[in-house]
Amino acid sequence: MAEEKKVKTHEQIQDEIRSYLGEIEYLREQIGAIDATIADLRIVDATLSYLKEKGEGKSIYIPLGSGIAIRGKIEKPDDVIMDVGAGILINTTVDEARENIEKRINALMELRLALLRKIEEDTRKVNELLRELRESQPEKKE
């Protein structure tokens, strides 16, 4: 028994296209958030590196939030407190914290790549649907 190919209406094809375009936009927003997180992690990594190299005895301003900071002095630049998730803090070294940051950046880069691949796949599907839509439209007589 031969299978019948289900014919989609123009409205169904247009709905599918809109759905894919909405997903693509959402994925792009997620990539933007990932990029911002990676940029923040790179700033923290650079700051840790600087503090380890030149931090002991250095006076700095410590941000408290809402644009307010207090003056402090770095006594032990290699004594770092790091959040490992669920609000759990551990004592670690600068090198261990930087390793953790690098692992987080790598994981985020892998996720970013997966999202980019999904965008490519969705874009390919949109193009196929657009082709299907064009082919299904009757020829205009002049």
Side-chain angles (χ1 to χ4, degrees):
M1 179 190 289
E3 290 185 28
E4 290 182 34
K5 186 177 179 181
K6 186 178 176 185
V7 178
K8 297 179 203 172
T9 67
H10 291 292
E11 291 80 20
Q12 289 171 324
I13 294 171
Q14 290 170 343
D15 286 345
E16 277 188 69
I17 290 171
R18 277 190 289 276
S19 175
Y20 280 119
L21 292 175
E23 183 172 316
I24 289 169
E25 182 59 30
Y26 173 76
L27 294 171
R28 285 185 177 147
E29 289 171 7
Q30 295 303 304
I31 289 172
I34 288 170
D35 288 344
T37 302
I38 289 171
D40 287 345
L41 288 170
R42 287 194 170 134
I43 289 169
V44 171
D45 184 54
T47 302
L48 285 172
S49 175
Y50 175 81
L51 291 175
K52 181 178 180 180
E53 183 182 330
K54 300 181 180 175
E56 190 162 352
K58 194 163 199 69
S59 291
I60 61 168
Y61 285 96
I62 303 164
L64 300 175
S66 299
I68 299 172
I70 61 170
R71 189 176 182 101
K73 187 178 279 189
I74 298 175
E75 294 177 5
K76 298 178 185 175
D78 204 40
D79 187 15
V80 178
I81 302 292
M82 181 173 62
D83 186 338
V84 291
I88 298 171
L89 304 173
I90 63 168
N91 191 299
T92 187
T93 66
V94 168
D95 292 335
E96 290 169 336
R98 291 186 71 204
E99 281 179 35
N100 180 276
I101 289 169
E102 190 61 34
K103 286 178 187 175
R104 290 170 63 187
I105 289 172
N106 289 337
L108 287 168
M109 293 297 284
E110 287 178 25
L111 177 58
R112 185 182 192 283
L113 184 59
L115 294 177
L116 285 170
R117 286 184 182 131
K118 180 65 175 144
I119 287 173
E120 283 180 25
E121 180 184 321
D122 286 356
T123 301
R124 214 175 8 262
K125 288 178 182 175
V126 166
N127 289 332
E128 289 170 11
L129 288 167
L130 287 170
R131 193 171 25 260
E132 185 179 334
L133 191 62
R134 279 191 303 272
E135 290 171 359
S136 71
Q137 289 184 354
E139 296 288 324
K140 291 185 180 179
K141 294 181 182 178
E142 295 185 37

